[in-house]
Amino acid sequence: MHARLRGAPHGRWRRGIGQGCLACALIVVFRVDGAPLPPSPRNTASMSPLEGLLYLELVVNHRASGRVVPVQTAGGRYRVEAAELRRVGLPVPQDSEDVVWLDTMAGTQVQYDGGRQRLLLTVPPDWLPEQQIGASSIFARQAARSSAGALLNYQVYSRLPNKEGADTAIWNELRLFGSGGVLSNTGIYRLPQGDGRHAASGFQRYDTTYRYSDEERALTVEVGDFVSNALAWSRPARLGGIQVSRDFAVRPDIITYPLPQFSGQAAVPTTVDLFIDGYRSSSVDVAPGPYTLTNVPFINGAGQAVVVTTDALGRQVSTAVPFYVSSELLNPGMSDYSLALGSLRRDYGIKSLSYAGWGASGSYRYGLTRALTLESHIEGASDMRSAGVGAVFALGSIGTFNAARSVSAAQGKQGHQTTFGYQYANRLFSAGVQRSDRSADFSDLSSLPARYRAGRRSMQANVSASLGVVGSVGAAYLDVQGQNAHRTRLLNVSWSKPVWGNSSVWVSANRQLGARGWSAVMQWLIPIGTRDTLSAGLERSADHRMSRRVDYQRSVASEGGFGWDLAAGDGGYRRAALTWRGTAAQLEGGVFSYGGEDTRWVGATGSLVFMDGVLMPANAIQDAFVMVSTDGVADVPVQYENQRVGVTDASGHLLVPWTISYYSGRYEIDTLDLPSNYRADDVEQRVAVRAGSGYLLEFSIARAGAASIVLHDASGAPIEIGSRVFGDNGQEAVVGWDGLVYLEQLQPRNTLRVERPGGRQCQAAFELDIEREEMAQVGPLLCR
């Protein structure tokens, strides 16, 4: 190869050189006798175009606009329509001339790129539109739904007979729901057994409430029994009446508290990377101009953000910014409110219907700035009035401070309350303190009648820290002084640390200040597999008595089955319990012994759902649920968020009892094992369900009435490929190989019309059993 290259004929080189010289001569002749040559391509950007009208793409700060606009050139100057400049984001005043000479715009640099037919503009970054980068909600909102139905939750507990007798208690919750809201009633029925001298019998009602939520306005209305909404420095009260309140729980897509924002300017197209506490949170491309970065993860507490910008030339700038996020603050301009009016509830849990006097309560919060949220609260009753104002402040990156002042007047006596506190938290450390001082005559709704009046003073403080290999430590202090000047002060310290494997050790010590001695508990938790846990504990009382305890637990698997709990300790302590959970209920039973006294008990927990004309048992439904319907088709597998949850029953239904309300969950059915004569219009749907209700999610599955048909002509040969087939119900299909055609929606008697190439037509008729499970094979049919 090398020899051949070196030994190439010299004649070829001579001819090449001669042709090259001829070309040079022609160029020289053209340059002398003809028009001047255009500039070299590499110098085009620095040269001015010929004067006149050109059509060029505008490029602003190295970012192509994609707009080709007319540009008038004269003497190295450039003139562009004002409207075109506004379209690419330049701040051209509305009252300016229709056409603007670019050299009259101070701070603007202009360059002509003749090779690519572009006009390059460089302007100050603050001229360009500001960019908001980041979502204003956690996820896209989907309106929640609710179908008509009823639900009964129940919990049965029965203590088996012993020397104190026996009793059975049945707690229940009945809900009626639909698109118009949820009506619920809760209570407990006690049924004594044996002599039952120590147990009250009969039904005890707790709450009866109608609830309706307007998602568009994030508004909830409650009628009946409810607990009034309260602020951090006020106390709730039980009322029977009506309450109207802002309810952000029905709009989980709304971010109510201010998240950090990072602003900057980009002179050229730039990539911005955001790191939160060392972890990259996002990476976005920004156009030239000012920008504000709001796509910060939804965190709470203190942290440090590092913003790294990389421009189109590869230059990097890193900026570290500390921040603090508190969910106690409201976004600027956002409000939160609650207004309640009704009769004060008395003897709750003792009497079913006990109301006395009227009461009213109202709260209002408003986000004035990103760092300041204002609060107010009023209450009133027949002989009591109270009002207060407060605020939550953000103290930069060092935490939040809250303060409030309330005054009251009741039975001619004035009272006041002062509350203040401080909170701080970061990934490794948290601390907080809250103090409230009340005068002896301060009153509010929860203190009526006077015997329920709160203590004179309360203070609580806590601190916790993660110390790496040392473990985690915490301490809490509680100081309460009652109306009778009795003071209680409690101190708690704790320490926990993972040890070998997945096991961990936890120690907690408590002391009542002013009294003698500490009480302490030490526990060692040892996970065994995925469901079993062995724990061993040692307890010391304040009077120096020691006790030991060992506990072995097996939790019930999420899909159901058995679980148990076995424990033994000093003083004759024994406990054994067995749990079984199925799709319809959870059953429990056990025995407890201490000091020679035995207590044996059994229980059951579950629910009954009535919807779509069927009554279905299920495990207890705490929030919302979905009933999947497959049009009566049984044994269809159902998945929720890619997790199999079961198969439909004989009526074509499956209950998913643990749906999260207002969350748009994905439900799927698996049709792979369905008979070939079935068709599903949809196999995947997303739905959000209202709180406390259920939704009937229908997947349409029906017999397709399908058949694979072979068509032959009068001579017995297959009908030609491409022939068109028309059925009685408007079906259309095309004939494939060997005269094969597939049709659906067929009837017991069918006639097919076939249009063959060349305009010829023929017909074929056949009968079909449309109730069969598998797709029918028909033919060959003669088409005449």
Side-chain angles (χ1 to χ4, degrees):
M1 172 89 55
H2 295 289
R4 291 181 59 190
L5 288 174
R6 285 194 296 267
H10 295 287
R12 184 180 303 170
W13 284 99
R14 295 191 187 98
R15 287 195 300 271
I17 295 173
Q19 292 170 354
C21 293
L22 177 60
C24 293
L26 291 175
I27 292 175
V28 170
V29 171
F30 178 80
R31 179 164 177 79
V32 172
D33 297 338
L37 288 174
S40 172
R42 64 175 178 270
N43 297 323
T44 301
S46 61
M47 302 293 291
S48 298
L50 296 175
E51 296 187 2
L53 181 64
L54 298 177
Y55 287 87
L56 307 175
E57 180 187 11
L58 291 183
V59 178
V60 181
N61 288 28
H62 297 272
R63 182 172 184 265
S65 67
R67 298 190 62 81
V68 177
V69 302
V71 179
Q72 183 70 41
T73 68
R77 303 177 68 197
Y78 305 89
R79 188 171 66 174
V80 180
E81 294 181 5
E84 296 293 349
L85 296 177
R86 295 189 193 99
R87 290 190 182 100
V88 296
L90 298 185
V92 179
Q94 293 291 337
D95 57 356
S96 61
E97 299 292 335
D98 293 340
V99 181
V100 178
W101 290 98
L102 297 180
D103 58 353
T104 64
M105 300 175 63
T108 303
Q109 298 179 14
V110 187
Q111 206 171 23
Y112 168 64
D113 182 356
R116 303 176 66 179
Q117 291 298 288
R118 303 187 305 172
L119 192 63
L120 311 179
L121 306 181
T122 302
V123 302
D126 56 0
W127 283 20
L128 300 175
E130 184 171 355
Q131 307 160 76
Q132 293 286 339
I133 303 171
S136 59
S137 62
I138 300 177
F139 48 80
R141 177 193 169 215
Q142 181 177 1
R145 306 177 185 179
S146 179
S147 301
L151 163 69
L152 174 66
N153 275 321
Y154 63 87
Q155 183 175 359
V156 181
Y157 175 85
S158 181
R159 186 180 62 182
L160 301 181
N162 59 18
K163 65 180 183 180
E164 294 184 357
D167 58 66
T168 299
I170 305 174
W171 176 89
N172 61 85
E173 177 195 20
L174 177 63
R175 302 184 207 163
L176 303 176
F177 50 83
S179 59
V182 179
L183 176 63
S184 66
N185 182 83
T186 59
I188 188 169
Y189 183 78
R190 292 183 175 91
L191 177 65
Q193 298 176 2
D195 59 16
R197 291 175 296 177
H198 303 286
S201 60
F203 180 76
Q204 171 66 54
R205 187 185 69 89
Y206 289 151
D207 297 293
T208 303
T209 308
Y210 166 76
R211 179 186 177 98
Y212 175 78
S213 296
D214 183 344
E215 296 176 53
E216 291 295 331
R217 296 184 290 173
L219 179 72
T220 292
V221 178
E222 295 170 282
V223 179
D225 299 306
F226 57 85
V227 177
S228 64
N229 295 315
L231 302 177
W233 44 271
S234 64
R235 299 192 298 169
R238 288 192 176 275
L239 297 171
I242 182 171
Q243 179 168 246
V244 180
S245 59
R246 172 65 55 84
D247 188 0
F248 291 116
V250 305
R251 291 292 302 275
D253 59 305
I254 297 178
I255 305 172
T256 61
Y257 54 94
L259 291 173
Q261 295 183 353
F262 307 101
S263 300
Q265 286 188 347
V268 296
T270 300
T271 299
V272 180
D273 295 309
L274 176 64
F275 294 83
I276 302 293
D277 291 334
Y279 298 93
R280 185 162 76 170
S281 170
S282 63
S283 180
V284 295
D285 295 326
V286 300
Y291 63 86
T292 299
L293 196 64
T294 60
N295 54 345
V296 178
F298 307 101
I299 55 180
N300 208 7
Q304 185 179 58
V306 177
V307 182
V308 180
T309 59
T310 306
D311 64 16
L313 302 179
R315 297 172 296 187
Q316 279 192 344
V317 177
S318 177
T319 306
V321 182
F323 64 85
Y324 193 87
V325 178
S326 174
S327 58
E328 299 301 316
L329 296 168
L330 286 176
N331 275 315
M334 182 172 287
S335 62
D336 189 8
Y337 58 85
S338 177
L339 180 62
L341 176 64
S343 181
L344 294 171
R345 188 82 183 265
R346 303 299 187 203
D347 301 316
Y348 182 79
I350 301 175
K351 297 180 180 179
S352 296
L353 296 170
S354 180
Y355 301 88
W358 67 272
S361 173
S363 300
Y364 184 77
R365 303 178 70 230
Y366 180 77
L368 188 63
T369 68
R370 291 177 54 84
L372 176 60
T373 296
L374 302 179
E375 301 177 333
S376 62
H377 182 74
I378 59 172
E379 292 183 3
S382 58
D383 56 353
M384 187 277 298
R385 305 288 187 273
S386 71
V389 293
V392 181
F393 307 85
L395 304 176
S397 61
I398 62 173
T400 59
F401 176 79
N402 63 86
R405 175 75 172 181
S406 302
V407 295
S408 70
Q411 299 177 348
K413 296 181 180 180
Q414 306 290 327
H416 59 82
Q417 172 184 273
T418 302
T419 303
F420 59 90
Y422 168 78
Q423 294 80 35
Y424 175 84
N426 63 23
R427 190 164 52 92
L428 301 176
F429 175 79
S430 65
V433 60
Q434 192 76 20
R435 176 166 179 148
S436 179
D437 291 282
R438 303 178 185 89
S439 66
D441 297 320
F442 179 77
S443 297
D444 56 13
L445 287 180
S446 63
S447 66
L448 300 178
R451 64 177 182 270
Y452 298 134
R453 190 160 294 172
R456 296 281 299 276
R457 181 180 65 195
S458 65
M459 176 182 174
Q460 54 185 4
N462 61 82
V463 61
S464 64
S466 178
L467 304 179
V469 295
V470 178
S472 299
V473 296
Y477 173 72
L478 178 65
D479 185 355
V480 178
Q481 181 178 346
Q483 290 291 339
N484 57 1
H486 177 73
R487 187 179 183 187
T488 302
R489 294 179 298 165
L490 298 175
L491 177 64
N492 170 267
V493 292
S494 62
W495 170 78
S496 64
K497 184 185 185 307
V499 288
W500 55 268
N502 293 323
S503 65
S504 61
V505 174
W506 173 73
V507 178
S508 176
N510 302 274
R511 179 165 184 170
Q512 182 175 344
L513 301 184
R516 299 180 60 183
W518 286 79
S519 61
V521 175
M522 181 176 69
Q523 192 172 36
W524 185 15
L525 299 175
I526 307 173
I528 303 173
T530 59
R531 295 170 50 196
D532 293 14
T533 302
L534 175 64
S535 65
L538 180 64
E539 183 175 348
R540 177 187 186 275
S541 64
D543 56 2
H544 309 295
R545 287 182 298 176
M546 305 291 291
S547 63
R548 296 160 296 178
R549 185 173 298 178
V550 177
D551 194 344
Y552 183 82
Q553 293 182 346
R554 162 163 282 200
S555 61
V556 180
S558 58
E559 63 272 15
F562 284 97
W564 58 77
D565 183 4
L566 301 174
D570 293 333
Y573 174 82
R574 300 290 186 272
R575 185 180 75 248
L578 181 65
T579 302
W580 176 84
R581 182 166 65 223
T583 59
Q586 178 171 302
L587 306 179
E588 299 174 281
V591 58
F592 173 80
S593 177
Y594 185 72
E597 297 289 338
D598 291 342
T599 300
R600 293 167 295 168
W601 58 275
V602 294
T605 304
S607 65
L608 295 173
V609 173
F610 181 76
M611 182 182 285
D612 198 29
V614 298
L615 183 65
M616 294 190 66
N619 279 286
I621 298 175
Q622 305 299 331
D623 188 5
F625 69 91
V626 166
M627 179 181 283
V628 176
S629 171
T630 53
D631 279 350
V633 181
D635 299 324
V636 179
V638 178
Q639 291 184 336
Y640 172 70
E641 297 292 351
N642 300 321
Q643 180 180 358
R644 182 183 170 117
V645 293
V647 298
T648 56
D649 61 12
S651 65
H653 294 93
L654 174 69
L655 199 66
V656 183
W658 27 258
T659 299
I660 302 174
S661 58
Y662 301 106
Y663 170 72
S664 178
R666 182 175 64 184
Y667 299 82
E668 300 172 274
I669 59 172
D670 186 354
T671 59
L672 292 179
D673 294 332
L674 285 178
S676 58
N677 197 33
Y678 281 83
R679 180 187 70 249
D681 295 334
D682 293 306
V683 296
E684 176 183 326
Q685 296 186 56
R686 279 193 173 273
V687 65
V689 187
R690 293 175 179 170
S693 64
Y695 182 70
L696 180 64
L697 184 60
E698 297 179 288
F699 287 92
S700 178
I701 299 180
R703 285 184 172 84
S708 179
I709 307 166
V710 177
L711 296 175
H712 286 183
D713 60 14
S715 65
I719 294 292
E720 298 88 342
I721 296 176
S723 300
R724 298 184 62 82
V725 179
F726 302 90
D728 296 328
N729 294 329
Q731 309 100 310
E732 294 186 19
V734 177
V735 176
W737 291 102
D738 299 324
L740 188 64
V741 63
Y742 173 80
L743 288 175
E744 293 183 353
Q745 301 178 9
L746 296 172
Q747 302 300 317
R749 297 178 179 274
N750 302 272
T751 302
L752 305 181
R753 180 173 59 87
V754 181
E755 293 184 356
R756 304 170 65 184
R760 296 173 297 165
Q761 294 190 6
C762 64
Q763 289 187 347
F766 65 95
E767 295 184 354
L768 180 70
D769 178 12
I770 61 175
E771 296 299 325
R772 60 184 297 157
E773 295 289 316
E774 301 295 338
M775 182 179 64
Q777 306 291 330
V778 179
L781 296 178
L782 292 181
C783 186
R784 297 185 175 87

